[in-house]
Each structure stands twice: as C-alpha cells, then as structure tokens.
C-alpha cells in the first residue's frame, strides 16, 4: 500500500474539525485524521507493506522548466537554492513535523527523493513491485499507473477515505472512455487547472478520448495531425498543430517517473510501534490517545 501522504493529510486537515493539542495552541486535526485514515485502510485491506510517499520537492524545477505554469498558482515564495515554498495553511504547516515524528515512532517508512514528487516515488515503487499494489490518493493523475496485469490499482479518496473507489482499468474506461495506459496522454490534452497545465485549447475529455481511440497515443495523434491523409478532421487537426509547442514538452511533465533510485527496504508494516516510548511521549504531548489506540489495535490484530 502506497500512500500519497500529502493528499491524505490535506484531506484530513480540511475534513476533520479543528482539534487543539493539550497546550491549547497547536492544532492536531490533520495528525489525528491521517492516523485514522491509515487505521481504516489497514483494517480493510490488511497490507503486508505500507509506505508513506513524500513530496521532497512538490514542484520540481525540471517540470517548471518544461511548463512554466506548472503549479505556479500554488507558490507562496520562490526559493533560488531549494524547492519553492508551497502555499499551505499555517494550521496545517505546523502539523507536518508532528506527522513525521509519529510515523517514525511507529516505524512506518517515509520515502521521498530529490527533485521528485510523491507521485514519482509512487510510480517507481508501484512499477515492478512483484506483488499487488494499492495506491491511496485523491489525485487522478495517478490513474496512469493502474495496471490490471501487474495488479496495480488506485484507491481513490476524492470523496473521502470512507467512500473511496477502487480504480482498475475497467473503472478508468467507464469513466473516461480511455485505457489506463492512455490516461497520461488524455490528461495532457485535457489539461488540469489544479496543476497549472493548460491542455490543448478546444480539446476536452470527449475529443481527447476520441483521438486516443483512433490514434492510440500522443505520438500517433501528432503524427496524424501532420499527415494530410490520416483522416483526422480539420478541427482537431488545427487544434493539435496549434498546440505543438505545448505537446512537445507536456507529456514529460504529466508522466509519472518510474525509475527513481530508491531504497526499497523497511516497507513491512509493523505489528506494534517501533519506538513505544517515543510514541507515548508524542501521544501525551499532542493529545493523540484515541487515534493511536485505534491504530495500535488494528496493527496488533493483523
């Protein structure tokens, strides 16, 4: 089970009412919510291995160099020598180090990589995993990783962890009329305002799906647009050709990386906290008694 951790703690922060730690000043709703999300998922799916995938760089410069608008609307502060600072509500920002401390006390592996987003970590760990993989995320970009043959699916939490959907290739096909393997090209053409990706002007989901059905992939679509005998209609042809500069770079931005150099050890989900004394300290300091008790019980009962 690979967790898109930021996707989950953002949802916990906005979905769980504000709760303050015993000091009366520090909010802990995202911490508590994330722990309860993990408890629920572990209880339902009983994974042998679990990794909290991390955004070491939420907006890698190499992606920005290719598409300058990439996530630009989320930048709070530009930094010359480090990743730009993402706009995150202060009451959530203060909880992120607490989340890291609690995960460490449990012995739950956190994995990130330089110049890589959590999506890229997930893509790498899901590829060639040698076992079934469940990817937990609210980000539809990761639908591109769905692979029935390799037993990789997405547990999509956009409607909440309690109402998550199990995304396989049939789900993607029913929803978007494309195969999961075509999803990255589909997303490139459709665009994604939440990521600052403009897409191909005038090409929405239906046209993108039709083009992929007829021409297979982005390379096939571009080749057909350039070939006067391809049978591509004049409207789509003009739109694809007008977006040539964007289409020359955007697929690399949208595609999740799958070959990062990552440490693949220590993924086994513990049956009990790795550092119970440290966890007890954190539990008392931040008032995490109930969610910690629930997670401990589920881990012990696996």
């Amino acid at each position: 089970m690979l967790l898109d951790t930021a996707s989950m703690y953002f949802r916990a922060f906005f979905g769980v009412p504000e709760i303050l730690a015993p000091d009366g000043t520090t909010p802990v709703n995202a911490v508590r919510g994330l722990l309860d999300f993990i408890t629920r998922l572990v209880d339902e799916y009983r994974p042998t291995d679990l990794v909290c995938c991390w955004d070491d760089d939420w907006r890698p410069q190499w992606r920005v160099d290719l598409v300058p608008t990439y996530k630009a609307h989320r930048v709070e502060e530009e930094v010359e020598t480090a990743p730009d600072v993402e706009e995150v509500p202060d009451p959530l920002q203060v909880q992120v180090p607490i989340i890291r401390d609690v995960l460490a006390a449990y012995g739950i592996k956190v994995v990130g990589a330089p110049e890589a987003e959590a999506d890229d970590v997930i893509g790498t760990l899901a590829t060639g995993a040698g076992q079934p993989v469940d990817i937990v995320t609210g980000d539809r970009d990761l639908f591109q990783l769905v692979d029935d043959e390799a037993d990789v699916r997405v547990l999509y939490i956009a409607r909440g962890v309690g109402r998550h959907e199990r995304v396989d290739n049939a789900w993607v096909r029913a929803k978007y009329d494309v195969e999961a393997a075509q999803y990255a090209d589909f997303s490139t053409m459709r665009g994604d305002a939440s990521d600052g990706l403009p897409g191909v002007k005038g090409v929405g989901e239906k046209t993108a799906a039709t083009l992929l059905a007829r021409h297979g992939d982005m390379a096939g679509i571009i080749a057909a647009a350039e070939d006067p005998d391809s049978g591509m209609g004049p409207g789509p042809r003009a739109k694809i050709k007008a977006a040539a500069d964007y289409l020359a770079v955007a697929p690399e931005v949208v595609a999740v990386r799958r070959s990062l150099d990552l440490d693949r050890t220590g993924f086994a989900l513990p049956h009990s906290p790795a550092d119970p004394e440290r966890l007890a300290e954190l539990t008392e300091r931040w008032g995490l008694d109930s969610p910690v008790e629930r997670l401990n019980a589920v881990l012990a009962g696996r």
Side-chain angles (χ1 to χ4, degrees):
M1 182 169 281
L2 303 174
L3 306 186
D4 184 358
T5 317
S7 175
M8 294 178 68
Y9 66 60
F10 264 90
R11 288 175 191 283
F13 175 74
F14 287 107
V16 177
E18 182 180 80
I19 302 172
L20 297 178
D23 67 5
T25 62
T26 306
V28 291
N29 56 327
V31 184
R32 295 173 65 95
L34 178 63
L35 290 175
D36 279 339
F37 289 169
I38 293 173
T39 297
R40 184 166 196 148
L41 291 162
V42 169
D43 190 35
E44 182 168 354
Y45 292 99
R46 305 282 163 154
T48 56
D49 304 272
L50 184 142
V51 182
C52 284
C53 302
W54 209 263
D55 283 314
D56 277 13
D57 190 341
W58 68 280
R59 187 176 183 247
Q61 188 60 46
W62 63 269
R63 281 192 166 108
V64 177
D65 289 343
L66 293 169
V67 178
T69 57
Y70 183 67
K71 294 187 178 180
H73 59 296
R74 301 194 214 169
V75 176
E76 182 174 281
E77 179 186 350
E78 293 187 356
V79 181
E80 286 273 341
T81 57
D84 291 336
V85 178
E86 184 178 12
E87 186 177 9
V88 178
D90 289 342
L92 172 56
Q93 191 67 58
V94 298
Q95 299 184 62
V96 175
I98 303 172
I99 289 169
R100 291 293 298 255
D101 286 345
V102 173
L103 292 174
Y106 268 109
I108 294 175
K109 189 71 175 280
V110 174
V111 179
E115 300 182 354
E117 301 175 51
D119 287 10
D120 302 308
V121 173
I122 291 169
T124 297
L125 296 179
T127 301
Q131 61 181 317
V133 176
D134 281 337
I135 298 164
V136 183
T137 185
D139 185 353
R140 56 187 180 174
D141 288 346
L142 291 173
F143 293 167
Q144 64 185 274
L145 297 174
V146 168
D147 185 338
D148 290 357
E149 189 172 325
D151 212 354
V152 177
R153 65 180 176 179
V154 166
L155 305 181
Y156 187 46
I157 60 171
R159 298 193 300 168
V161 171
R163 300 172 63 205
H164 69 267
E165 300 171 87
R166 299 182 182 94
V167 178
D168 57 10
N169 194 63
W171 189 100
V172 174
R173 192 187 308 114
K175 179 77 171 176
Y176 300 108
D177 202 23
V178 299
E179 304 301 316
Q182 297 173 309
Y183 188 84
D185 288 341
F186 172 80
S187 180
T188 297
M189 287 186 284
R190 177 197 60 201
D192 190 338
S194 68
D195 281 341
L197 295 169
V200 175
K201 188 175 181 179
V203 173
E205 291 192 353
K206 289 185 177 180
T207 301
T210 299
L211 289 170
L212 285 165
R214 291 177 180 170
H215 305 290
D217 57 18
M218 186 62 66
I221 291 169
I222 293 171
E226 296 294 337
D227 179 2
D229 298 322
S230 67
M232 181 181 285
R237 184 189 301 276
K239 291 166 184 174
I240 294 296
K241 292 180 78 169
D245 290 345
Y246 168 76
L247 292 176
V249 294
E252 187 175 350
V253 174
V254 174
V256 170
R257 296 174 70 182
R258 302 183 186 222
S259 56
L260 298 177
D261 183 14
L262 298 176
D263 176 11
R264 292 174 178 259
T265 62
F267 292 172
L269 185 62
H271 289 271
S272 60
D275 189 341
E277 290 185 6
R278 176 61 173 156
L279 182 61
E281 293 171 4
L282 293 167
T283 300
E284 181 177 1
R285 179 178 179 185
W286 302 117
L288 305 176
D289 302 73
S290 297
V292 164
E293 286 175 10
R294 288 190 286 269
L295 181 52
N296 286 349
V298 166
L299 290 177
R302 282 168 48 243

